[in-house]
Amino acid sequence: MTVTHSKRPLVVSFLQQPLKGKVNVPGDKSISHRALMLSALANGETKITGLLEGEDVMQTAQVMRALGAIIHQKAPGEWHVIGKGVGYLNEPDDVLNMGNSGTSARLLSGILSTHNIFSVMTGDCSLRKRPMRRVIEPLSQTGAQFITRNEGRLPMAIKGVEKANPVTYRLPVASAQVKSAILLAGLNANGMTIVEEPIATRDHTENMLNHFGVKVDISTLAEKGRKICLQGPTKLVAKDVNVPGDPSSAAFVMVAGLIISGSEILIENVGLNPLRTGIIEALKMMGANLQISNKRQEGGEITGDIIVKNTTLKGVDLPVSIVPSMIDEFPILSVAAAYAKGESRFRGLAELRVKESDRFNSIINMLRKNGVSVESHGDDMIIEGTFGNILGGGEVETHMDHRLAMSASILGLVAKKTITIDDIRFIRTSFPGYFELMNSLGCGFQI
Ligand code: S3P
């Protein structure tokens, strides 16, 4: 990580002008991680375009290099990867550092568990607090051994196995990272890997495995669940990948455009995988004027453009079932809810407690410190909309969480008194060039 040790605060003032213009947000973080990992496991050379060059993804690139893949950047966003082939990763000769990235750590654990090598992984102090037992438990079925700090936290040592058993597992929590770790382990296991998820989570791993020539069987279960099967061992054939813009990054632009008076923005080439678009559904339920155009399919993923127009938003009661499809968007949705007219209720947010920060409490503190009433009942959050009257004046503690920092920056643009954000460094883990992009629309952030 190139993050410096001293915090970088930012003061944000009320914005007097509308946001106008056309932007392309950086590449999808989830798809970028998978593109690097799968191309490193493939036979042949893969060209990746639109890769997110944020720190989390660069961390994955670094780790895949340490495992023997040849990875280099040819032009901005264009990366070439020469893969090692499933089963042929090198034993790394040093500790693998995953930085701030839970996706890198969890997905890599799956890959490493079915390679006959020893590895140790660590991360920054945010990642070292996050739970790894959720992957260790299913991945142990392969025969791999895991040693961690107390309570399953990083650093973690993994002794992978050559003749790995396939995993059969029903996810106890909706997690695309856990599902993906198991499927990636299955690539080099002997037999059928089976994952059941009680509620469908983002399926970028399944889509990209298909793209690289791996047969993944997906069937639907009762309610909104899925069963995913993969026969191992298998090979991946290199094939170029085009990464669409990240809907989770677009969400900040969407909410800013919706709540800042007179705004009208076009966001081009955004990933619109239906398992990621809960935020669009939720905002529409709040009355948002969001239009999708130019919808198309590329490399197994749907993309399109989003036109955002300033709208008066109203409160919303969101069902638990929407949570997995917008798991990363609650910090910014909370800003929309705080600005809206009427009460909003977000249900079943337990998973927010184990993200880059304890987002459940980080969101509540961010809003309360700036004059918004928020209650919690168990894992539900109830936000009293201010109908455009956010007081502001508070300092937001971001706890090394990029999405908290970006959400607070949008909150500051619509609050009456200036808002101070304690640290904006981590924004570059997922959204390099965030302030420049927002300023091109007229945000006037003083960096
Ligand atoms: C991700 C899955 C989600 C999400 C994270 C990225 C992925 O995590 O919060 O930002 O790329 O698979 P969980 O699997 O823990 O829900």
Side-chain angles (χ1 to χ4, degrees):
M1 284 283 262
T2 50
V3 168
T4 51
H5 289 292
S6 45
K7 288 185 175 183
R8 216 175 138 204
L10 178 72
V11 178
V12 185
S13 319
F14 184 77
L15 185 69
Q16 308 270 7
Q17 61 178 37
L19 302 182
K20 300 265 181 192
K22 183 172 84 176
V23 287
N24 280 265
V25 291
D28 187 276
K29 185 149 77 73
S30 293
I31 298 178
S32 294
H33 283 301
R34 287 154 172 86
L36 287 171
M37 289 181 194
L38 295 194
S39 56
L41 285 172
N43 295 98
E45 178 165 345
T46 300
K47 178 171 93 173
I48 309 171
T49 44
L51 188 83
L52 169 64
E53 290 168 353
E55 282 184 349
D56 277 12
V57 175
M58 294 300 104
Q59 219 74 40
T60 291
Q62 207 41 45
V63 167
M64 296 322 290
R65 280 192 189 109
L67 296 168
I70 297 171
I71 303 179
H72 55 270
Q73 186 197 33
K74 280 235 171 127
E78 183 185 326
W79 291 67
H80 289 239
V81 181
I82 302 175
K84 288 289 288 176
V86 172
Y88 293 95
L89 294 178
N90 296 349
E91 183 164 272
D93 60 11
D94 202 351
V95 172
L96 303 171
N97 190 343
M98 309 292 166
N100 194 250
S101 177
T103 309
S104 311
R106 304 233 176 79
L107 270 58
L108 244 302
S109 309
I111 294 174
L112 294 169
S113 66
T114 55
H115 276 76
N116 187 19
I117 55 180
F118 171 79
S119 55
V120 179
M121 69 169 71
T122 189
D124 69 13
C125 66
S126 153
L127 185 56
R128 291 197 308 270
K129 287 188 195 133
R130 298 182 64 186
M132 295 298 290
R133 266 196 198 135
R134 53 180 57 200
V135 285
I136 295 173
E137 194 193 313
L139 292 175
S140 296
Q141 287 182 32
T142 61
Q145 289 173 288
F146 298 83
I147 302 172
T148 65
R149 278 195 310 140
N150 251 345
E151 295 176 11
R153 315 281 162 177
L154 297 183
M156 168 167 79
I158 305 176
K159 178 78 190 85
V161 274
E162 189 175 2
K163 292 193 167 54
N165 301 316
V167 174
T168 296
Y169 197 68
R170 185 174 169 85
L171 300 183
V173 288
S175 167
Q177 292 178 353
V178 178
K179 170 180 66 175
S180 300
I182 298 169
L183 291 175
L184 295 178
L187 295 174
N188 203 30
N190 296 301
M192 185 70 86
T193 293
I194 303 170
V195 193
E196 284 187 12
E197 44 181 6
I199 179 155
T201 61
R202 65 188 70 189
D203 56 1
H204 304 305
T205 304
E206 296 91 309
N207 294 343
M208 205 178 290
L209 283 171
N210 260 317
H211 182 74
F212 279 85
V214 176
K215 191 168 175 302
V216 185
D217 271 338
I218 303 172
S219 45
T220 44
L221 298 175
E223 301 287 316
K224 289 187 164 184
R226 287 187 176 183
K227 178 177 176 184
I228 305 124
C229 304
L230 180 157
Q231 179 71 38
T234 183
K235 282 191 173 147
L236 277 69
V237 183
K239 192 168 175 192
D240 295 350
V241 177
N242 192 4
V243 182
D246 197 326
S248 300
S249 297
F252 299 101
V253 184
M254 280 189 252
V255 170
L258 288 170
I259 63 180
I260 294 170
S261 180
S263 299
E264 189 166 341
I265 305 169
L266 170 65
I267 319 173
E268 291 181 317
N269 186 34
V270 184
L272 295 173
N273 179 316
L275 295 169
R276 292 288 297 284
T277 47
I279 181 68
I280 297 180
E281 259 174 75
L283 288 168
K284 282 191 170 165
M285 287 160 81
M286 297 173 81
N289 187 345
L290 294 171
Q291 288 159 38
I292 310 289
S293 68
N294 200 12
K295 226 174 173 182
R296 58 205 179 269
Q297 177 119 18
E298 258 182 57
E301 294 287 349
I302 300 168
T303 64
D305 303 339
I306 305 174
I307 301 157
V308 187
K309 288 187 187 155
N310 166 232
T311 336
T312 304
L313 299 178
K314 57 180 193 304
V316 68
D317 187 343
L318 288 183
V320 193
S321 58
I322 201 171
V323 173
S325 66
M326 54 171 298
I327 186 69
D328 292 331
E329 281 64 80
F330 283 97
I332 188 60
L333 190 72
S334 78
V335 174
Y339 196 77
K341 180 172 187 241
E343 184 185 282
S344 288
R345 186 173 193 127
F346 306 156
R347 295 172 190 267
L349 301 187
E351 275 296 294
L352 257 56
R353 300 180 196 274
V354 289
K355 293 293 174 190
E356 285 84 329
S357 68
D358 171 353
R359 277 189 188 151
F360 192 87
N361 283 308
S362 304
I363 291 173
I364 292 177
N365 291 338
M366 167 176 77
L367 296 180
R368 281 192 184 151
K369 282 193 174 170
N370 289 292
V372 181
S373 299
V374 193
E375 294 288 316
S376 64
H377 286 309
D379 295 328
D380 295 357
M381 192 181 291
I382 299 108
I383 299 172
E384 197 53 58
T386 61
F387 199 14
N389 281 304
I390 294 173
L391 194 59
E395 174 168 328
V396 177
E397 284 177 273
T398 52
H399 303 285
M400 303 174 79
D401 188 332
H402 52 135
R403 299 200 199 280
L404 243 292
M406 288 184 275
S407 302
S409 75
I410 306 298
L411 187 70
L413 295 176
V414 294
K416 307 267 174 277
K417 294 185 192 162
T418 56
I419 285 183
T420 307
I421 306 168
D422 70 339
D423 194 2
I424 56 169
R425 289 171 302 165
F426 287 84
I427 292 177
R428 59 184 188 237
T429 61
S430 69
F431 202 149
Y434 170 74
F435 291 108
E436 291 79 0
L437 182 145
M438 295 306 286
N439 281 352
S440 77
L441 294 169
C443 280
F445 289 121
Q446 309 250 318
I447 301 299

